[in-house]
Amino acid sequence: MPPKNYIPAKMVVYQPSAGVKKDFETLLERFTETGTVRYEKFAEIWRSMKMNLYCAGRQNDREVREFIEECFHIASQFWLPPSSFQVRAGALYLLYGLFNFQLCMPRVKIRVTHKMWSDVIEFQAQAREEQHYDLDFIFHKLRLQNAFYFVSEHRELYLATTNFHQTQDLLVPDNFRDETTILEEVFSQDFMEQLSAIHEQYYKMKVALAGPDATTPDRSLDVMENKLIDNITKTMNAFKERRQGRSSRKRKQTEGESSEEDQEDDSSDNDEDSDPTFTPGNIINTKRSTIKASAYTGLAKASRSRRHRQVVMEEDSSPSKMEKKREILKESDADELCQESVVVEYSPKKNAKGKPVSEEEEEVEKEKDHTFSLDMPCLTRDDNSIPGSSADKTSSKPLSKGKKSKRMTGKVLPKMLPNLEYKKKEKEKKRPGQKKRKA
Amino acid sequence: MEAGVLHQTVSDVISIREFLQSWDASVIHDSRREAKDSADIETFAELMELDKETVKELDQVCSLDHLKNTQEPVDRWRILGEIPEDLNLMCVRFQKREMEKRKDPAYNMIVQKKIRQKMSTRMNMPTLNQTRRKIPPQFQVTYPEVILTVHIHKPMLTMKDKRPTLTNEHSFLVLGHEKLTELRDYIRCTNDLAIPGDQSDFPDCVMHNYAKDIFKSGFFYIEGTFYNDTRESDCRDYSQNIIKWAKEKNLGQMESHLMEECTFLDLKIRLGQPYVYVHQGDCEHIIIFSDIRLLSSEDPQDTREYPFLTFRIRSRRNVCKVCMTRTAKWVVYDSEYAPENPCFFCDQCFRPLHYDINGIKKGEFKAYKYFDNQAIV
């Protein structure tokens, strides 16, 4: 059973309101810092943030309309108690701005329920009493513009394809969320406390049964381990450590990979570490690379019938090394090579339906056999055994001319490994005559 | 009985009349007044109980121009199409990323579908022409008035091997003072137009006895109450059997009222809750009320325009299987000339294929008049 708030990443397709709340909060925060409720101050902040272009990039009228409805819904929350007077004033100006700068005809209106309205009227009365004429003026202007719909519910209620209570939580996109496990939810603090209380009472009962002077329970009642709670917490801690260890190891791995292969990637990784606020592209990059890395670390063991073709990890495939390989390949005897080793090319993973597996699915698969990936060797730079990206097909060309390579299926391509190359060279030394057969 | 069938959000029971009465006079005055973008100083002075000089000053201080960065007008379509470089808003940055993602056509398709589903109900907005037309006084809407949004769904397919699907077919705006029968007359269903019986013997003289003229009964079931249509003398009370059945099963108390005597103001409804409209014996349409609000001056002001259609499903029509161009008008069973059974034909293809020159039927088959949902309703 998935946890309550769990939504698979695939389900979250498009959230029009992503980031809106954050924008409004920064705007209102800056407004409260000024310590006044004057419109000029608000206008200054609004201008500096260029809020008048808040609809930018929404592709068509439909999209704008939906987006603005969401904006009004969020903004009107600030307009109501328990917000402070200043925030509410800011929210009124905000609604005024949002309403007038919407790129939508006819204009989307602000939905006001009866309860909201009475709160707002109270607020306006207070503003009038304190002679904040600009507040009063703008409120009246909005009313004259017919900016409000007087409704019974905050939103239209219709069969929800996604539960909107859940989408509310998802204002932060799933990329920025921490992964949670069901174990942590099951063994929550509350649960553990309850369990320990029950266990204690159980133990006391057993002692009481043994006799008035007894300190330990009767041996015949030993059906439960006494350190049950301790053991569970220990296991949980170990589990947490392992998770953290895994993620940190992954990061290490990707950093190692990027520093060697791609300078840009490396810098982006550092960016992510130092500035966790907002770098979507980089986050995706690192995520992808971690997935890739973990996917390529694992190798399936060949069956007994195919033991002569053991699958071997492919080495580094950076362009400079590739050239070297090609040189060696040209020199070496292709036929012999095929007998020695076969490396499976990593074509994109495919699932049962034949569609390429998406990142999320890959991740799920990875989760499933995480014990497997945990056992994988931790890769470091010195080992020089960093998993390569997609295989370079040009390297296989000279081989395809070889007789034995014809037997091979499309996906299985012979590749070389440094240690094999080394062996090869040794063999070549022994049999120098064979060297130029291919050429 | 109907609670918890579908995963959705439902409001509490709302009495529509109470909702209307809860708003005070100033709000109703607001909703009646026409919108003004640049109101004159005097109205403000009156509203705010200030002198004109201060209001003039306020008007300058609170001008929208202070919120603009440049004095140039914003080109709407340019801003919608592309994002300016120097914009640093969070929501816009998310949107930028979203646009990147949408370059993948598969993803884009999912998004567009989602937007279409969500938005289609609100797209057919009443235009200014509709609202500003001269209306004879007897058809003018009277304030205060409530508008309800009703969604009528396709009849549920309750076949054994098929999961029932819920498809919104029409959405209407209805006025609070309207009777339920007015909505009933507007609900368009091809089953109402069906002509019962095999027409293959005399295809030229089709009896124009629509099913709605023969089977006139129907009811709404809303919040534990049946609203039966008994306008015609030969209408049946469908609700009696159901009430009896519900009593045996202990499904709670159910009442029955007359549809023609009940206005929407008399209803007590839950927003988002599926109710049902039944006609033609067993043609069951799920209906959902999604919104209640006060009538505003932007809405159509003519009572004759209500129920106002805001959404209509766009589906493919069934075409003739012979020419594949014209809309099907006949559905034929057990025909030896047809590629499938049953098969659709247009009038022009049906005649030469199934009748000889003298108009005599060739072979044994059954032909029924077919009304395409998209072409006729």
Side-chain angles (χ1 to χ4, degrees), chain A residues 326-358:
Chain A
R326 254 173 255 160
E327 282 171 24
I328 298 161
L329 261 173
K330 275 177 192 171
E331 288 170 11
S332 65
D333 187 354
D335 292 13
E336 259 191 50
L337 236 182
C338 292
Q339 283 174 345
E340 296 255 355
S341 77
V342 172
V343 176
V344 175
E345 186 196 18
Y346 285 101
S347 59
K349 276 194 182 180
K350 300 208 171 176
N351 60 17
K353 285 173 187 171
K355 290 172 187 167
V357 179
S358 65

mmCIF file of all heavy atoms in Angstrom, chain A residues 326-358:
data_model
loop_
_atom_site.group_PDB
_atom_site.id
_atom_site.type_symbol
_atom_site.label_atom_id
_atom_site.label_comp_id
_atom_site.label_asym_id
_atom_site.label_seq_id
_atom_site.Cartn_x
_atom_site.Cartn_y
_atom_site.Cartn_z
ATOM 1 N N ARG A 326 40.618 1.915 -31.309
ATOM 2 C CA ARG A 326 40.490 1.617 -32.725
ATOM 3 C C ARG A 326 41.824 1.214 -33.331
ATOM 4 O O ARG A 326 41.920 0.292 -34.125
ATOM 5 C CB ARG A 326 39.936 2.852 -33.446
ATOM 6 C CG ARG A 326 38.487 2.663 -33.848
ATOM 7 C CD ARG A 326 37.949 3.935 -34.378
ATOM 8 N NE ARG A 326 37.078 4.550 -33.393
ATOM 9 C CZ ARG A 326 36.753 5.829 -33.405
ATOM 10 N NH1 ARG A 326 37.256 6.620 -34.325
ATOM 11 N NH2 ARG A 326 35.950 6.302 -32.507
ATOM 12 N N GLU A 327 42.820 1.928 -32.916
ATOM 13 C CA GLU A 327 44.152 1.598 -33.416
ATOM 14 C C GLU A 327 44.511 0.149 -33.097
ATOM 15 O O GLU A 327 44.947 -0.617 -33.936
ATOM 16 C CB GLU A 327 45.196 2.517 -32.798
ATOM 17 C CG GLU A 327 45.208 3.892 -33.467
ATOM 18 C CD GLU A 327 46.088 4.842 -32.688
ATOM 19 O OE1 GLU A 327 46.987 4.325 -31.968
ATOM 20 O OE2 GLU A 327 45.891 6.037 -32.797
ATOM 21 N N ILE A 328 44.237 -0.165 -31.825
ATOM 22 C CA ILE A 328 44.572 -1.525 -31.399
ATOM 23 C C ILE A 328 43.761 -2.537 -32.183
ATOM 24 O O ILE A 328 44.247 -3.567 -32.612
ATOM 25 C CB ILE A 328 44.310 -1.697 -29.893
ATOM 26 C CG1 ILE A 328 45.199 -0.731 -29.124
ATOM 27 C CG2 ILE A 328 44.590 -3.114 -29.460
ATOM 28 C CD1 ILE A 328 44.724 -0.480 -27.712
ATOM 29 N N LEU A 329 42.491 -2.161 -32.348
ATOM 30 C CA LEU A 329 41.602 -3.086 -33.049
ATOM 31 C C LEU A 329 42.099 -3.387 -34.458
ATOM 32 O O LEU A 329 42.052 -4.514 -34.924
ATOM 33 C CB LEU A 329 40.210 -2.478 -33.145
ATOM 34 C CG LEU A 329 39.215 -2.965 -32.100
ATOM 35 C CD1 LEU A 329 37.942 -2.176 -32.204
ATOM 36 C CD2 LEU A 329 38.944 -4.448 -32.280
ATOM 37 N N LYS A 330 42.525 -2.316 -35.113
ATOM 38 C CA LYS A 330 42.999 -2.504 -36.474
ATOM 39 C C LYS A 330 44.161 -3.499 -36.508
ATOM 40 O O LYS A 330 44.258 -4.361 -37.375
ATOM 41 C CB LYS A 330 43.460 -1.160 -37.054
ATOM 42 C CG LYS A 330 42.310 -0.366 -37.662
ATOM 43 C CD LYS A 330 42.802 0.966 -38.150
ATOM 44 C CE LYS A 330 41.615 1.849 -38.486
ATOM 45 N NZ LYS A 330 42.053 3.225 -38.759
ATOM 46 N N GLU A 331 44.994 -3.327 -35.519
ATOM 47 C CA GLU A 331 46.168 -4.189 -35.492
ATOM 48 C C GLU A 331 45.811 -5.637 -35.139
ATOM 49 O O GLU A 331 46.345 -6.584 -35.687
ATOM 50 C CB GLU A 331 47.168 -3.666 -34.471
ATOM 51 C CG GLU A 331 47.854 -2.384 -34.925
ATOM 52 C CD GLU A 331 48.648 -1.779 -33.798
ATOM 53 O OE1 GLU A 331 48.812 -2.463 -32.779
ATOM 54 O OE2 GLU A 331 49.095 -0.643 -33.951
ATOM 55 N N SER A 332 44.891 -5.745 -34.224
ATOM 56 C CA SER A 332 44.670 -7.075 -33.634
ATOM 57 C C SER A 332 43.863 -7.987 -34.551
ATOM 58 O O SER A 332 43.244 -7.561 -35.510
ATOM 59 C CB SER A 332 43.937 -6.922 -32.312
ATOM 60 O OG SER A 332 42.661 -6.408 -32.582
ATOM 61 N N ASP A 333 43.865 -9.211 -34.174
ATOM 62 C CA ASP A 333 43.125 -10.207 -34.937
ATOM 63 C C ASP A 333 41.698 -10.272 -34.413
ATOM 64 O O ASP A 333 41.449 -10.586 -33.257
ATOM 65 C CB ASP A 333 43.819 -11.560 -34.776
ATOM 66 C CG ASP A 333 43.191 -12.596 -35.671
ATOM 67 O OD1 ASP A 333 42.164 -12.284 -36.310
ATOM 68 O OD2 ASP A 333 43.715 -13.698 -35.711
ATOM 69 N N ALA A 334 40.771 -9.954 -35.280
ATOM 70 C CA ALA A 334 39.386 -9.869 -34.836
ATOM 71 C C ALA A 334 38.812 -11.225 -34.472
ATOM 72 O O ALA A 334 38.067 -11.358 -33.523
ATOM 73 C CB ALA A 334 38.547 -9.238 -35.938
ATOM 74 N N ASP A 335 39.183 -12.236 -35.220
ATOM 75 C CA ASP A 335 38.611 -13.558 -34.986
ATOM 76 C C ASP A 335 38.915 -14.061 -33.581
ATOM 77 O O ASP A 335 38.034 -14.551 -32.878
ATOM 78 C CB ASP A 335 39.161 -14.550 -35.997
ATOM 79 C CG ASP A 335 38.664 -14.242 -37.377
ATOM 80 O OD1 ASP A 335 38.117 -13.126 -37.569
ATOM 81 O OD2 ASP A 335 38.785 -15.098 -38.239
ATOM 82 N N GLU A 336 40.111 -13.887 -33.214
ATOM 83 C CA GLU A 336 40.503 -14.356 -31.888
ATOM 84 C C GLU A 336 39.789 -13.597 -30.800
ATOM 85 O O GLU A 336 39.380 -14.148 -29.795
ATOM 86 C CB GLU A 336 42.004 -14.180 -31.730
ATOM 87 C CG GLU A 336 42.752 -15.494 -31.945
ATOM 88 C CD GLU A 336 44.182 -15.342 -31.532
ATOM 89 O OE1 GLU A 336 44.411 -14.852 -30.413
ATOM 90 O OE2 GLU A 336 45.046 -15.698 -32.320
ATOM 91 N N LEU A 337 39.637 -12.322 -31.089
ATOM 92 C CA LEU A 337 38.988 -11.464 -30.115
ATOM 93 C C LEU A 337 37.597 -11.962 -29.782
ATOM 94 O O LEU A 337 37.178 -12.002 -28.637
ATOM 95 C CB LEU A 337 38.866 -10.072 -30.699
ATOM 96 C CG LEU A 337 39.460 -8.925 -29.904
ATOM 97 C CD1 LEU A 337 39.200 -7.644 -30.623
ATOM 98 C CD2 LEU A 337 38.953 -8.921 -28.504
ATOM 99 N N CYS A 338 36.890 -12.329 -30.814
ATOM 100 C CA CYS A 338 35.518 -12.773 -30.609
ATOM 101 C C CYS A 338 35.471 -13.998 -29.714
ATOM 102 O O CYS A 338 34.558 -14.157 -28.926
ATOM 103 C CB CYS A 338 34.870 -13.101 -31.947
ATOM 104 S SG CYS A 338 34.638 -11.644 -32.917
ATOM 105 N N GLN A 339 36.426 -14.838 -29.868
ATOM 106 C CA GLN A 339 36.451 -16.019 -29.008
ATOM 107 C C GLN A 339 36.696 -15.645 -27.552
ATOM 108 O O GLN A 339 36.152 -16.243 -26.645
ATOM 109 C CB GLN A 339 37.572 -16.958 -29.468
ATOM 110 C CG GLN A 339 37.181 -17.726 -30.710
ATOM 111 C CD GLN A 339 38.323 -18.536 -31.236
ATOM 112 O OE1 GLN A 339 39.470 -18.327 -30.843
ATOM 113 N NE2 GLN A 339 38.022 -19.460 -32.113
ATOM 114 N N GLU A 340 37.484 -14.608 -27.413
ATOM 115 C CA GLU A 340 37.864 -14.260 -26.051
ATOM 116 C C GLU A 340 36.714 -13.637 -25.250
ATOM 117 O O GLU A 340 36.403 -14.063 -24.165
ATOM 118 C CB GLU A 340 39.024 -13.277 -26.082
ATOM 119 C CG GLU A 340 40.269 -13.843 -26.664
ATOM 120 C CD GLU A 340 41.290 -14.145 -25.590
ATOM 121 O OE1 GLU A 340 41.033 -13.814 -24.425
ATOM 122 O OE2 GLU A 340 42.310 -14.719 -25.914
ATOM 123 N N SER A 341 36.115 -12.644 -25.841
ATOM 124 C CA SER A 341 35.113 -11.942 -25.023
ATOM 125 C C SER A 341 34.052 -11.284 -25.891
ATOM 126 O O SER A 341 34.309 -10.911 -27.020
ATOM 127 C CB SER A 341 35.788 -10.864 -24.181
ATOM 128 O OG SER A 341 36.079 -9.769 -25.002
ATOM 129 N N VAL A 342 32.915 -11.182 -25.325
ATOM 130 C CA VAL A 342 31.823 -10.470 -25.994
ATOM 131 C C VAL A 342 31.257 -9.481 -25.004
ATOM 132 O O VAL A 342 30.969 -9.824 -23.865
ATOM 133 C CB VAL A 342 30.720 -11.452 -26.424
ATOM 134 C CG1 VAL A 342 29.524 -10.683 -26.937
ATOM 135 C CG2 VAL A 342 31.243 -12.395 -27.473
ATOM 136 N N VAL A 343 31.146 -8.261 -25.451
ATOM 137 C CA VAL A 343 30.564 -7.266 -24.569
ATOM 138 C C VAL A 343 29.199 -6.860 -25.116
ATOM 139 O O VAL A 343 29.049 -6.621 -26.299
ATOM 140 C CB VAL A 343 31.479 -6.026 -24.474
ATOM 141 C CG1 VAL A 343 30.814 -4.953 -23.640
ATOM 142 C CG2 VAL A 343 32.793 -6.424 -23.871
ATOM 143 N N VAL A 344 28.257 -6.873 -24.218
ATOM 144 C CA VAL A 344 26.908 -6.498 -24.655
ATOM 145 C C VAL A 344 26.818 -4.988 -24.741
ATOM 146 O O VAL A 344 27.204 -4.274 -23.824
ATOM 147 C CB VAL A 344 25.873 -7.016 -23.641
ATOM 148 C CG1 VAL A 344 24.477 -6.534 -24.030
ATOM 149 C CG2 VAL A 344 25.924 -8.523 -23.602
ATOM 150 N N GLU A 345 26.330 -4.570 -25.857
ATOM 151 C CA GLU A 345 26.106 -3.123 -25.978
ATOM 152 C C GLU A 345 24.871 -2.756 -25.198
ATOM 153 O O GLU A 345 23.858 -3.435 -25.265
ATOM 154 C CB GLU A 345 25.900 -2.774 -27.440
ATOM 155 C CG GLU A 345 25.800 -1.287 -27.656
ATOM 156 C CD GLU A 345 25.221 -0.964 -29.009
ATOM 157 O OE1 GLU A 345 24.600 -1.841 -29.604
ATOM 158 O OE2 GLU A 345 25.404 0.159 -29.440
ATOM 159 N N TYR A 346 24.964 -1.654 -24.498
ATOM 160 C CA TYR A 346 23.814 -1.248 -23.689
ATOM 161 C C TYR A 346 22.858 -0.420 -24.515
ATOM 162 O O TYR A 346 22.966 0.788 -24.596
ATOM 163 C CB TYR A 346 24.283 -0.452 -22.476
ATOM 164 C CG TYR A 346 24.896 -1.343 -21.436
ATOM 165 C CD1 TYR A 346 26.269 -1.435 -21.320
ATOM 166 C CD2 TYR A 346 24.090 -2.104 -20.615
ATOM 167 C CE1 TYR A 346 26.830 -2.267 -20.390
ATOM 168 C CE2 TYR A 346 24.655 -2.932 -19.690
ATOM 169 C CZ TYR A 346 26.027 -3.009 -19.567
ATOM 170 O OH TYR A 346 26.576 -3.825 -18.657
ATOM 171 N N SER A 347 21.971 -1.099 -25.179
ATOM 172 C CA SER A 347 20.915 -0.357 -25.864
ATOM 173 C C SER A 347 19.934 0.088 -24.796
ATOM 174 O O SER A 347 19.881 -0.488 -23.722
ATOM 175 C CB SER A 347 20.208 -1.261 -26.869
ATOM 176 O OG SER A 347 19.662 -2.359 -26.195
ATOM 177 N N PRO A 348 19.120 1.164 -25.092
ATOM 178 C CA PRO A 348 18.187 1.642 -24.081
ATOM 179 C C PRO A 348 17.300 0.497 -23.584
ATOM 180 O O PRO A 348 16.826 -0.315 -24.367
ATOM 181 C CB PRO A 348 17.368 2.694 -24.807
ATOM 182 C CG PRO A 348 17.982 2.856 -26.128
ATOM 183 C CD PRO A 348 19.096 1.917 -26.307
ATOM 184 N N LYS A 349 17.103 0.500 -22.294
ATOM 185 C CA LYS A 349 16.302 -0.573 -21.703
ATOM 186 C C LYS A 349 14.909 -0.578 -22.290
ATOM 187 O O LYS A 349 14.335 0.468 -22.542
ATOM 188 C CB LYS A 349 16.178 -0.334 -20.200
ATOM 189 C CG LYS A 349 17.340 -0.858 -19.426
ATOM 190 C CD LYS A 349 16.958 -0.876 -17.972
ATOM 191 C CE LYS A 349 18.109 -1.353 -17.116
ATOM 192 N NZ LYS A 349 17.727 -1.373 -15.704
ATOM 193 N N LYS A 350 14.391 -1.758 -22.441
ATOM 194 C CA LYS A 350 13.018 -1.836 -22.944
ATOM 195 C C LYS A 350 12.184 -2.666 -21.995
ATOM 196 O O LYS A 350 12.638 -3.656 -21.453
ATOM 197 C CB LYS A 350 13.000 -2.478 -24.331
ATOM 198 C CG LYS A 350 13.818 -1.680 -25.324
ATOM 199 C CD LYS A 350 13.300 -1.847 -26.719
ATOM 200 C CE LYS A 350 13.991 -0.878 -27.645
ATOM 201 N NZ LYS A 350 13.606 -1.058 -29.014
ATOM 202 N N ASN A 351 10.973 -2.233 -21.829
ATOM 203 C CA ASN A 351 10.079 -3.011 -20.984
ATOM 204 C C ASN A 351 9.262 -3.973 -21.838
ATOM 205 O O ASN A 351 9.492 -4.127 -23.028
ATOM 206 C CB ASN A 351 9.190 -2.084 -20.151
ATOM 207 C CG ASN A 351 8.337 -1.191 -20.996
ATOM 208 O OD1 ASN A 351 8.177 -1.467 -22.180
ATOM 209 N ND2 ASN A 351 7.817 -0.133 -20.425
ATOM 210 N N ALA A 352 8.301 -4.596 -21.168
ATOM 211 C CA ALA A 352 7.581 -5.682 -21.838
ATOM 212 C C ALA A 352 6.883 -5.216 -23.121
ATOM 213 O O ALA A 352 6.815 -5.932 -24.097
ATOM 214 C CB ALA A 352 6.557 -6.258 -20.882
ATOM 215 N N LYS A 353 6.389 -3.980 -23.099
ATOM 216 C CA LYS A 353 5.638 -3.513 -24.260
ATOM 217 C C LYS A 353 6.559 -3.056 -25.388
ATOM 218 O O LYS A 353 6.101 -2.684 -26.445
ATOM 219 C CB LYS A 353 4.727 -2.354 -23.860
ATOM 220 C CG LYS A 353 3.517 -2.808 -23.077
ATOM 221 C CD LYS A 353 2.745 -1.629 -22.575
ATOM 222 C CE LYS A 353 1.637 -2.072 -21.646
ATOM 223 N NZ LYS A 353 0.994 -0.960 -20.981
ATOM 224 N N GLY A 354 7.820 -3.001 -25.096
ATOM 225 C CA GLY A 354 8.760 -2.618 -26.136
ATOM 226 C C GLY A 354 9.046 -1.138 -26.158
ATOM 227 O O GLY A 354 9.818 -0.662 -26.958
ATOM 228 N N LYS A 355 8.408 -0.394 -25.252
ATOM 229 C CA LYS A 355 8.694 1.035 -25.215
ATOM 230 C C LYS A 355 9.938 1.246 -24.357
ATOM 231 O O LYS A 355 10.172 0.488 -23.428
ATOM 232 C CB LYS A 355 7.528 1.797 -24.580
ATOM 233 C CG LYS A 355 6.314 1.813 -25.455
ATOM 234 C CD LYS A 355 5.160 2.407 -24.682
ATOM 235 C CE LYS A 355 3.883 2.278 -25.462
ATOM 236 N NZ LYS A 355 2.720 2.540 -24.655
ATOM 237 N N PRO A 356 10.684 2.287 -24.654
ATOM 238 C CA PRO A 356 11.831 2.567 -23.830
ATOM 239 C C PRO A 356 11.405 2.882 -22.401
ATOM 240 O O PRO A 356 10.389 3.550 -22.189
ATOM 241 C CB PRO A 356 12.453 3.804 -24.493
ATOM 242 C CG PRO A 356 11.884 3.862 -25.845
ATOM 243 C CD PRO A 356 10.576 3.169 -25.793
ATOM 244 N N VAL A 357 12.176 2.428 -21.445
ATOM 245 C CA VAL A 357 11.817 2.625 -20.060
ATOM 246 C C VAL A 357 12.136 4.057 -19.668
ATOM 247 O O VAL A 357 13.198 4.572 -19.978
ATOM 248 C CB VAL A 357 12.616 1.665 -19.176
ATOM 249 C CG1 VAL A 357 12.271 1.882 -17.721
ATOM 250 C CG2 VAL A 357 12.330 0.245 -19.583
ATOM 251 N N SER A 358 11.186 4.707 -19.028
ATOM 252 C CA SER A 358 11.416 6.094 -18.634
ATOM 253 C C SER A 358 12.303 6.120 -17.391
ATOM 254 O O SER A 358 12.549 5.100 -16.766
ATOM 255 C CB SER A 358 10.087 6.774 -18.328
ATOM 256 O OG SER A 358 9.508 6.160 -17.220
#
